[in-house]
Amino acid sequence: MTATVDISPREGEVLELVGAHFSNAEIAARLSISVRTVESHVSSLLRKLEVPDRRALAHRAPEPTSTGTAAPVAPALPAALTSYVGRSGEQAALIELITTRREVTAVGPGGVGKTRLALAVAAEAAGNHFDAVWYVDLVPVTDPEMIATAIAATLGLGEQPGRDITESVIAALADRHALLVLDNCEQVLDGVALVVERLLATCPQLTVLATSRAQLMVPFEHVYQVPPLSLPVDGESDAVALFLERAAAVGSTLDPAAREQIAVICERLDGMALAIELAAARYRTLGLDGITAALSHPLRMLTGGFRANERHRSVRAALDWSHALLDPADQALLRRISVFVAPFTAFAAAQVAESDEFLVADGLARLAEQSLLVVTASPRGTAYRALETIRQYGTEQLATADELGAVRDRHLRWCLEQAAGLTADRPDWRAGFDAVADDLRSALAWAAQEPEQRANAYRLAQRLAELTFTRTLIGESQLRYEQAASYAEDPGATAAELRNAAAVAACRMRGDDLYRLYRAAAEADLRAGSTEGAARDLATIAITSYRFAGRFVRRLPVEETDALIAQARELAGQDQAAQVMVAVAEAGQALNAAIITAEGHPGNAVADTITRAERAVESAHSAGDPLAESIALDVLTGAQSWAGDTFAAAATTQRRITLLSSTPVTPAATHELIEALGEAAEASLGTGDLHAARQWAAQLAEHPLLAEVGHRATSWLLVADAFAGNVDQVLSGSVRFLDAWRRAGSPARASLGPAVAAVAMVHGLRGDEDARREWLEILEQLDTPPEEAFGYGAVFDTMLLLHHGRLPEALERIARPPSEIWKWVTWIWHHWYVALRAEAAVLAGHPDALARVTEARTIVAGNPLAAAQVARAAALLDGDPDAVRATAAIFDSLGCHYQSERTLILAAGNHTQHGS
């Protein structure tokens, strides 16, 4: 009786989310734990449930119960459907090699048993020498550019915007003493070689064990020739043991006296594991004599001479023999299902084989009985797959029967149907996509090479681009949009797909790709005779270079963007949509010029820019172009914030979110929404609207496209929670922030400064100086401009100093009048700075306290939080504890519970006492 596996409650939660096809970063975000902790749980589950990879682990995940918790996990299943036999010597040799060598390639012909040997070695290594072992089956991978994506999926990684997926894999493995098993490399050998070479060069403790029919030809490679199973010596051998075990698996117990005859069969099959399994599967119907007789004829050509280099012919002969014993209907079914690269159902097979589902199910069962198919259980029902050697054999049979094109065509049509039926409104849609994704990719690779399938290749590439974007495989999405552009017959369609690819590149924070793709789109538009389309493309490059200059490796000089706008203006002609985009670009051009040239307070240049941006917004709205309107609103927000009009900027950002919320979800709209949410959260903090700030920041933190960049996703939520005094939320959110920031390579992005300073302040409020110092050290790594010391730096430092009653230091920290430092505090920190400056003056008994309170009242008018803080300072100055206490309810209603509690302390006259 098999014992139930001991799964902890946390492992159960992780397993359920793996079953829902979430990445490690997504699981970490949902459970508020680090990615490393998730990885540890996944490794533990792989070991406990005895499965080789993440895909198999997902199949073991329980269905959620009505209470939302995981149902009990079933008893463990073996790692493979058949037991591992023999190979103790080979296993020991490979274990020794991977202990001393950086890369080992187990080489041998198809059917020799490379995969089973590699899995056995990986299982032993997992318990003894490595931090982790990952197994990647490359059979479904048909595109060399998808190697890193396949490895990332096994590791539970998603793509981080701003970083190539290979870089994410390298970062995950850089400090790991781990084993990576890459199985079945031969069909994408060049792609594997490139990725492995990069991994070996950058991950010093990583060992790679590859299986292939040919060596990789990479530095440090050690080739291990996988021998056939040992042949009989005194009647005992691994080959004979395998035959006996597989014969017993089909319900046949052999007499020990038959070992000699079995040994002869195994010799004739050259000890090739797959050939022996196929022969043993026939024992029940043919018996040993029948097998011997059947093998004698096809193997005569192999008799005589040394046959070490021709063992693959033994497998081919066994396949020929096994195939010949099938009835014609099963032969046809075997060759037709060979087009599937991933596990498939009887229903799918019936469609591709063009046959009745019941008859197909019956035939699949017979093929499985003859060891020609492997049966697996999955959440979607019984699934079948052919070993790669058998699948390749079936493909050859398709060509021989002159059916390859017709069956591939039916498989392509099935893939198009599957792709069309996948929608993200179902909770299990990820699993549904992942189940067919490899076949979609395989069908696309075939269709792309067939001139008569060009239209279908375009349709499938376009749909796969949409699906992978929704699945947050954004690197692949950009690739598929570019493929769709190359397959499109009409240059107008080419331009449209290139624009989609450019929008995905924007989501990936790849400005140079965006530039290249919009340039190509403009050229396609001109080929199509659409000068207005080309004008929009060129104007978009210009405005993007202003909005997101930091995302370009090659920063566009002002002269180049000016030239782009001038060319776009010339091409736009009288087309309203093109003119709108040119006007938006010109507004951005004006804002950039105003920011560069302005010194001191903003002057007429910024006022003129606001007017320009407002006109661009009106024009885009009149034209019914929500994306152009969103971009124009963003330019207007920038102008308003630079002018110091915080309230107008906040209103504009919220107007932008309202607009985008009703816009169809596309890569371009998604990119705009992510940017808008961050700006809205930021602006709401500046106006004292904590509820709105948390709402927008929470939406940003939960956006699926930011799951892998938790530092970017959580930054404004950390700031909002710090102001509100939501200490538990800050502490849990900071775990995700720090973990993601380090996994991203600790980027020195100044935009992360407010979040880091906010977390440091919260640790200071709690009296945890060690943690505070750690976060201040991170702040120093962010390449933050020194002027920020008078922005969020002054605000958070002063809040902490006031909290601990260090009044002279607080007064000193915030001594400079706001009018002297408008550039750095006029945005969201201005009102906080002014209110804190007034409070510090009152508490410290500064002679200018009344003047500062009076000035602050005027400045913060309209900001409920800052106004309450100034009102509290005025009440303290007047010595009116009742008026002080009255502000506590205001703070509570505004979601600022920290200031509410602080109010009660101040009302009691204990302004030197630590906060609760």
Side-chain angles (χ1 to χ4, degrees):
M1 184 176 179
T2 307
T4 299
V5 178
D6 181 19
I7 301 292
S8 71
R10 177 63 87 191
E11 286 175 339
E13 292 176 317
V14 171
L15 180 59
E16 186 174 350
L17 291 169
V18 169
H21 293 237
F22 287 103
S23 71
N24 288 344
E26 291 170 322
I27 295 172
R30 285 170 175 259
L31 301 181
S32 298
I33 56 180
S34 72
V35 171
R36 280 297 175 90
T37 302
V38 176
E39 290 173 351
S40 297
H41 287 312
V42 170
S43 295
S44 174
L45 288 165
L46 289 170
R47 185 176 65 254
K48 288 182 178 181
L49 298 179
E50 300 179 15
V51 292
D53 56 27
R54 195 180 184 92
R55 180 174 293 190
L57 187 62
H59 290 167
R60 297 299 313 285
E63 294 292 331
T65 64
S66 58
T67 60
T69 58
V73 176
L77 296 175
L81 295 177
T82 53
S83 61
Y84 182 68
V85 176
R87 297 257 194 219
S88 58
E90 294 93 325
Q91 191 170 329
L94 265 180
I95 287 287
E96 175 64 23
L97 283 173
I98 63 173
T99 304
T100 58
R101 306 278 184 164
R102 293 290 316 281
E103 197 283 336
V104 178
T105 306
V107 173
V112 76
K114 301 184 295 295
T115 295
R116 296 299 296 274
L117 177 60
L119 282 172
V121 168
E124 184 171 338
N128 297 326
H129 303 294
F130 297 90
D131 290 337
V133 174
W134 288 285
Y135 170 79
V136 186
D137 184 4
L138 295 177
V139 164
V141 181
T142 56
D143 185 343
E145 293 189 31
M146 297 296 293
I147 303 296
T149 301
I151 297 173
T154 296
L155 270 59
L157 301 175
E159 183 177 345
Q160 297 179 358
R163 173 183 259 181
D164 182 82
I165 192 68
T166 305
E167 294 172 343
S168 295
V169 171
I170 288 170
L173 297 176
D175 61 347
R176 294 302 187 92
H177 181 212
L179 173 66
L180 179 65
V181 180
L182 301 177
D183 195 19
N184 296 294
C185 298
E186 54 274 353
Q187 81 277 10
V188 281
L189 208 58
D190 291 342
V192 173
L194 289 172
V195 172
V196 167
E197 188 167 355
R198 284 190 67 185
L199 289 175
L200 292 175
T202 52
C203 306
Q205 298 185 87
L206 177 69
T207 298
V208 175
L209 172 59
T211 76
S212 177
R213 298 184 186 186
Q215 61 191 86
L216 304 184
M217 305 296 292
V218 295
F220 313 115
E221 181 179 30
H222 182 91
V223 176
Y224 176 80
Q225 193 73 40
V226 178
L229 292 168
S230 62
L231 292 171
V233 177
D234 298 328
E236 297 297 329
S237 72
D238 289 345
V240 170
L242 178 63
F243 189 102
L244 291 169
E245 196 279 344
R246 297 300 187 261
V250 296
S252 303
T253 304
L254 287 157
D255 191 315
R259 284 178 178 270
E260 188 174 339
Q261 194 172 1
I262 295 170
V264 172
I265 292 171
C266 292
E267 273 194 84
R268 289 188 173 182
L269 294 171
D270 287 325
M272 299 296 283
L274 177 57
I276 291 169
E277 293 196 15
L278 292 173
R282 288 288 181 178
Y283 172 74
R284 188 168 62 176
T285 55
L286 295 180
L288 294 181
D289 290 340
I291 293 173
T292 302
L295 289 175
S296 295
H297 178 70
L299 291 180
R300 275 187 198 145
M301 60 183 172
L302 299 179
T303 59
F306 186 65
R307 296 174 292 163
N309 294 327
E310 305 211 25
R311 289 187 178 114
H312 63 285
R313 296 176 65 187
S314 301
V315 173
R316 177 55 186 250
L319 284 167
D320 283 340
W321 163 73
S322 191
H323 179 262
L325 292 174
L326 298 173
D327 64 44
D330 287 351
Q331 288 178 345
L333 180 59
L334 179 63
R335 63 179 181 262
R336 290 168 185 170
I337 55 88
S338 67
V339 294
F340 289 102
V341 296
F344 57 90
T345 63
F347 178 73
Q351 288 185 281
V352 171
E354 209 169 36
S355 182
D356 177 81
E357 184 181 353
F358 175 79
L359 295 176
V360 166
D362 199 36
L364 292 173
R366 286 193 298 272
L367 293 174
E369 288 173 0
Q370 305 308 320
S371 293
L372 292 166
L373 292 181
V374 176
V375 184
T376 59
S378 76
R380 296 172 175 271
T382 302
Y384 302 85
R385 68 177 179 87
L387 296 178
E388 180 63 6
T389 302
I390 295 173
R391 196 178 72 80
Q392 290 175 0
Y393 179 85
T395 304
E396 291 177 12
Q397 295 301 310
L398 272 179
T400 301
D402 198 24
E403 293 182 350
L404 184 58
V407 175
R408 281 284 191 190
D409 180 68
R410 290 200 294 270
H411 179 251
L412 174 61
R413 283 189 276 118
W414 177 81
C415 286
L416 286 166
E417 274 183 35
Q418 298 302 305
L422 287 167
T423 56
D425 55 0
R426 292 184 50 166
D428 63 342
W429 102 270
R430 285 182 175 219
F433 170 78
D434 291 351
V436 300
D438 289 327
D439 275 298
L440 301 186
R441 293 163 181 144
S442 174
L444 177 58
W446 173 77
Q449 298 172 6
E450 303 296 322
E452 68 276 11
Q453 296 287 354
R454 188 179 182 90
N456 281 331
Y458 169 69
R459 288 173 56 208
L460 185 53
Q462 183 187 51
R463 183 59 180 148
L464 193 52
E466 295 168 349
L467 291 169
T468 49
F469 184 81
T470 306
R471 184 66 178 81
T472 65
L473 301 173
I474 52 178
E476 182 177 0
S477 178
Q478 181 182 326
L479 170 67
R480 302 306 177 192
Y481 274 123
E482 291 191 52
Q483 284 181 326
S486 69
Y487 304 148
E489 300 282 358
D490 171 40
T494 296
E497 301 308 334
L498 287 169
R499 280 192 286 272
N500 282 328
V504 179
C507 292
R508 299 177 68 208
M509 301 176 67
R510 292 181 172 272
D512 293 72
D513 274 2
L514 182 146
Y515 178 95
R516 169 180 62 82
L517 291 164
Y518 270 118
R519 273 286 194 186
E523 292 169 5
D525 275 322
L526 290 175
R527 290 197 304 274
S530 175
T531 56
E532 64 276 10
R536 286 174 58 88
D537 297 330
L538 297 175
T540 300
I541 296 174
I543 189 62
T544 302
S545 73
Y546 292 134
R547 295 173 73 202
F548 308 113
R551 298 180 186 178
F552 287 77
V553 175
R554 182 185 77 86
R555 299 246 181 148
L556 272 64
V558 172
E559 296 78 15
E560 184 171 351
T561 53
D562 289 350
L564 286 168
I565 293 173
Q567 187 180 1
R569 190 185 305 116
E570 182 180 344
L571 290 170
Q574 300 303 309
D575 183 81
Q576 183 185 14
Q579 288 178 341
V580 165
M581 204 63 211
V582 171
V584 173
E586 288 174 336
Q589 182 184 40
L591 175 60
N592 187 59
I595 291 173
I596 291 173
T597 58
E599 293 183 3
H601 288 282
N604 292 333
V606 174
D608 291 343
T609 301
I610 291 175
T611 301
R612 278 176 176 266
E614 287 174 338
R615 288 174 182 164
V617 171
E618 291 171 7
S619 298
H621 184 73
S622 298
D625 189 339
L627 293 180
E629 186 176 351
S630 172
I631 296 171
L633 287 168
D634 186 35
V635 174
L636 179 58
T637 301
Q640 290 167 334
S641 62
W642 188 253
D645 194 343
T646 311
F647 295 104
T652 302
T653 60
Q654 296 195 29
R655 177 181 168 187
R656 188 175 168 208
I657 288 179
T658 301
L659 168 72
L660 292 168
S661 297
S662 57
T663 302
V665 178
T666 63
T670 299
H671 178 246
E672 286 296 312
L673 180 60
I674 288 173
E675 297 301 325
L677 287 171
E679 290 183 7
E682 189 178 4
S684 296
L685 285 167
T687 61
D689 190 348
L690 273 187
H691 291 301
R694 287 203 81 260
Q695 176 187 350
W696 308 130
Q699 284 187 37
L700 191 67
E702 294 165 3
H703 198 286
L705 212 61
L706 300 184
E708 305 295 328
V709 283
H711 51 301
R712 182 181 168 199
T714 60
S715 59
W716 287 115
L717 187 57
L718 286 170
V719 176
D721 278 329
F723 275 127
N726 298 332
V727 174
D728 290 342
Q729 288 90 326
V730 171
L731 296 180
S732 62
S734 67
V735 170
R736 181 184 175 194
F737 179 100
L738 186 57
D739 185 51
W741 180 70
R742 286 174 173 161
R743 284 190 302 108
S746 304
R749 290 194 186 129
S751 60
L752 301 175
V756 174
V759 176
M761 180 195 72
V762 168
H763 284 300
L765 295 178
R766 299 175 68 243
D768 189 342
E769 285 303 310
D770 289 339
R772 179 170 178 264
R773 273 193 297 273
E774 178 186 1
W775 284 85
L776 290 177
E777 288 171 5
I778 294 169
L779 189 61
E780 291 178 3
Q781 299 176 47
L782 295 184
D783 198 24
T784 305
E787 298 85 4
E788 293 292 347
F790 299 107
Y792 63 80
V795 168
F796 289 129
D797 285 352
T798 304
M799 286 179 68
L800 181 59
L801 291 168
L802 291 175
H803 177 87
H804 288 298
R806 293 158 61 180
L807 303 179
E809 293 171 74
L811 202 58
E812 171 95 18
R813 184 68 182 86
I814 208 159
R816 290 188 65 177
S819 59
E820 293 182 12
I821 50 174
W822 71 269
K823 275 188 181 181
W824 317 119
V825 298
T826 199
W827 183 218
I828 73 169
W829 315 109
H830 185 52
H831 293 165
W832 297 95
Y833 187 98
V834 169
L836 286 166
R837 191 167 181 271
E839 180 176 315
V842 169
L843 293 177
H846 193 279
D848 289 340
L850 179 59
R852 291 188 183 183
V853 168
T854 302
E855 178 190 33
R857 272 203 181 104
T858 302
I859 292 174
V860 304
N863 181 323
L865 262 177
Q869 198 166 357
V870 173
R872 184 177 66 190
L876 287 168
L877 187 64
D878 293 340
D880 187 346
D882 289 336
V884 173
R885 277 189 289 270
T887 61
I890 298 173
F891 286 121
D892 268 333
S893 69
L894 297 173
C896 195
H897 309 301
Y898 168 76
Q899 293 295 350
S900 174
E901 294 294 328
R902 178 167 167 74
T903 297
L904 300 180
I905 293 172
L906 292 173
N910 298 326
H911 60 265
T912 60
Q913 178 182 325
H914 289 185
S916 61

